[in-house]
Amino acid sequence: MGYIHVSMDIDRLEQFTAESPDPDAPAIRIAEMRGATKRYGDVLAADNLNLTIFKGEFLSFLGPSGCGKTTALRMLAGFEEPTSGDILLDGEVVNSVPAHRRPVNMVFQHYALFPHLNVADNISYGLRQQRPKPPKDQIDDAVRQTLETVRMPGFGPRRIWEMSGGQQQRVALARALINQPKLLLLDEPMAALDRKLRRDMQIELQSLQRKLGITFVLVTHDQEEALSMSDRIAIMRGGRIVQIGSPRDLYDRPNSRYVADFVGKSNFIDGVVAEIDGPKIALKTPDGQKLQGMAVGQLAKGDAATISLRPEQCSLARKQPSNTQAGMRLPVKIINRIFLGEHTEYLVKTENFGDFLVLVPRQAETAEGRFEPGDDAWLYWQTSSALVLQAD
Amino acid sequence: MQPRVKTWLFLMPAGLWFLTMLVLPLVVVFIFSFGERGAAGGYVPAFTLDQYANLPARWAAFRNTLTLAPIGTVVCLLIAYPLAYFLALRTTPKWRTLLLILVIVPFWTSILIRSYAWIFILGGRGLPTLISALGLGDVQLINTPFAVLVGIVYGYLPLMVFPIFVSLERLDKRLLEASSDLGCPPWRSFLNVTLPLSMPGVATGCMLVFILLMGEFLIPAILGGGKVFFVGNALVDLFLQSRNWAYGSAVAVTLVAIMLVTVTAYMRFTRRWAGGRDDVSLM
Ligand SMILES: Nc1ncnc2c1ncn2[C@@H]1O[C@H](COP(=O)(O)OP(=O)(O)OP(=O)(O)O)[C@@H](O)[C@H]1O
Ligand SMILES: [Mg+2]
């Protein structure tokens, strides 16, 4: 592979947030997007993307269909040149370096395996493009090892169409991994797999990433996938990155209603900021009630805002809870109950704020008694668990 | 009704057609080839190998067919591949349709008319005049193997372009991106991915053109001016002019035999070449 000449710039930077394999290692910037923008005619597919990717991390782009995830990935891979802004690899601007001269490999959504080559030849394809060509026995060894890494030993002579979707996916992964790319890009690699297989592959992919220490950039619109696998997630919307952070950050401190809605489930109450008291905010709802919550980000009096409340932070009671027990309480009617094993999910109807989801853990449920659809109950929560976010 | 019986019923018309239009005439020709010519022409039953012994008399026709058909096929391929590649991968959909129509249009006019156009172009007042006017000397173009080759390539090009175009059009473009992603520069991606995956189209096109060229007689008759004739012309002559049906049959049987051998060899070759893939269609 024609490697671009690079000078490592090893900055001591703030650690990227989540549990990295070696928390004390300095964070190395492997790739950067600086104001990367891509237009297709009138369509702004990627809008001013700013992002640093650190060595060894597992980063995901998460967002709904058409939000520009693939475009972002294709700019990193070298299939698209940014209309404006820069893409950096190892500190060098690579905007116009074509894909075949970037030390970056991609696992395509539909695998894009070469149908005229067998598994071994597919996997060795990248090595065989290097000049000078590595010796044959070296290539064979690498193929054998990589097949073992993806747990498919002995599959070398197989034809592509003689394999299941899951096996093809492993081959696609092996074909990229064998080149030991600086950056492994994965565009919805699990989209074509069934649920069970997808779960298995997610776990496997994650442990593989930890083991090999290769930097992974995954594109997905499946929030569960992103949450369970990534060190950091970039949430995208309409071509922009709206928030970057660890799964926990995004879940606990979403910076907008959009993120709170996209990462996990949440209940929302819209209103206008009425009082600000340090981090505490009182939100005035359209029907005149005042609800308390904790501010996330900058909010000023009079701003339109939303209270976001995670279902597991809500509780249900038969009798009206006392003031000390609850920060906020509302009378509700139980609409539906879904048994989820560990938890039971209730759908309840409030008088003024629409339907709420409430997640009750098993122990709490036995203590409180079970609610049946149609029952009247009290919904309550702690003020500290209600986040006040910018409305969209 | 049993599914088997149903299948047979559905296949009946095709089977009958195949039997009466293909097998029966071949059998008749095969039998005739061992017969003799009647005094006033036609066929007299006999069993003799005289007709086959006589084949060398038509050597020139076989030689012309067996050189110009393969050469014509190869030249067609060399022109058609870049054209099909351009059409399939380098044009916008709007232009593609227009250009494809341009490739088909000649097919809508009779080969006879198109060949006459070539008579004019290659004839005394056409290209040769231009060439001598440029001071490049006198050349004879019409009534030469070259003229026949030009006619052949012109007439059969669409048959070569279409199968190749289809296979290139069907080519998954993401494979080219994958190749590039794995460090392969564009021209090598062509050799590694595009070319092998368009081979089914190449094989189909070559087969079609070659088989049809082996039986060609109009183009050599018009552009060869009786000097460059194919086996097809020999057959016309033997069946319609000299009415020597037995000898004609022997020539025909020989042609069919040569075709069977070359086509079988070709299929063997392409199949081995394709590495036993079952998705390579040869026809
Ligand atoms: N080659 C192209 N030409 C024109 N518009 C394009 C092109 N590729 C993408 N777009 C547009 O850019 C926007 C972003 O597309 P992109 O493929 O990046 O979305 P995505 O987030 O990957 O979506 P999905 O989850 O559906 O794959 C879309 O509106 C899309 O229609
Ligand atoms: Mg996409």
Side-chain angles (χ1 to χ4, degrees), chain B residues 56-76:
Chain B
R58 295 288 173 168
W59 162 241
F62 277 103
R63 188 199 54 210
N64 285 338
T65 309
L66 289 175
T67 50
L68 283 173
I71 292 175
T73 309
V74 170
V75 174
C76 267

Side-chain angles (χ1 to χ4, degrees), chain B residues 20-121:
Chain B
T20 51
M21 298 304 207
L22 214 82
V23 177
L24 215 61
L26 270 179
V27 170
V28 170
V29 167
F30 188 70
I31 294 172
F32 275 26
S33 72
F34 296 102
E36 281 170 351
R37 182 181 191 270
Y43 163 74
V44 176
F47 185 79
T48 160
L49 291 175
D50 285 358
Q51 312 303 347
Y52 286 99
N54 224 349
L55 280 179
R58 295 288 173 168
W59 162 241
F62 277 103
R63 188 199 54 210
N64 285 338
T65 309
L66 289 175
T67 50
L68 283 173
I71 292 175
T73 309
V74 170
V75 174
C76 267
L77 177 62
L78 291 180
I79 298 175
Y81 199 98
L83 182 60
Y85 184 87
F86 178 79
L87 283 174
L89 296 164
R90 292 277 178 271
T91 49
T92 58
K94 211 176 79 192
W95 277 101
R96 185 174 309 150
T97 320
L98 187 74
L99 291 170
L100 274 175
I101 290 173
L102 282 182
V103 176
I104 311 173
V105 162
F107 236 55
W108 290 340
T109 33
S110 153
I111 181 90
L112 212 61
I113 296 169
R114 287 185 284 144
S115 298
Y116 272 110
W118 278 107
I119 290 188
F120 175 75
I121 297 171

Side-chain angles (χ1 to χ4, degrees), chain B residues 226-278:
Chain B
K227 294 208 177 66
V228 186
F229 34 76
F230 275 28
V231 176
N233 302 91
L235 291 176
V236 172
D237 177 40
L238 286 171
F239 278 96
L240 302 180
Q241 255 98 58
S242 34
R243 293 184 36 79
N244 191 345
W245 289 14
Y247 188 36
S249 296
V251 172
V253 168
T254 311
L255 181 66
V256 170
I258 291 174
M259 263 193 277
L260 279 179
V261 171
T262 44
V263 167
T264 314
Y266 177 78
M267 277 167 79
R268 279 267 164 81
F269 174 73
T270 40
R271 182 149 301 153
R272 171 152 336 143
W273 189 86
R277 275 171 72 205
D278 42 16

Side-chain angles (χ1 to χ4, degrees), chain A residues 65-66 68-71 109 187-188 219:
Chain A
S65 186
K69 309 178 295 284
T70 299
T71 306
Q109 180 164 354
D187 192 357
E188 310 212 15
V219 155

Side-chain angles (χ1 to χ4, degrees), chain A residues 1 74 77 79 99-100 102 104-106 108 110 112-116 125-126 129 131 159 161 175-176 179, chain B residues 172 174-186 188-189 192-193 196-197 274-279:
Chain A
M1 219 176 310
R74 289 173 62 83
F79 296 132
H100 67 270
R102 291 192 192 187
V104 165
N105 286 117
M106 181 131 158
F108 291 81
H110 296 285
L113 295 172
F114 303 117
H116 58 302
Y125 194 91
Q129 304 314 318
R131 295 294 178 271
R159 317 296 311 188
W161 62 88
R175 185 176 70 172
N179 308 299
Chain B
D172 186 350
R174 283 171 303 191
L175 294 178
L176 295 175
E177 282 189 347
S179 173
S180 163
D181 185 64
L182 292 164
C184 194
R188 240 171 34 214
S189 287
N192 286 342
V193 179
L197 287 176
R277 275 171 72 205
D278 42 16
D279 63 332

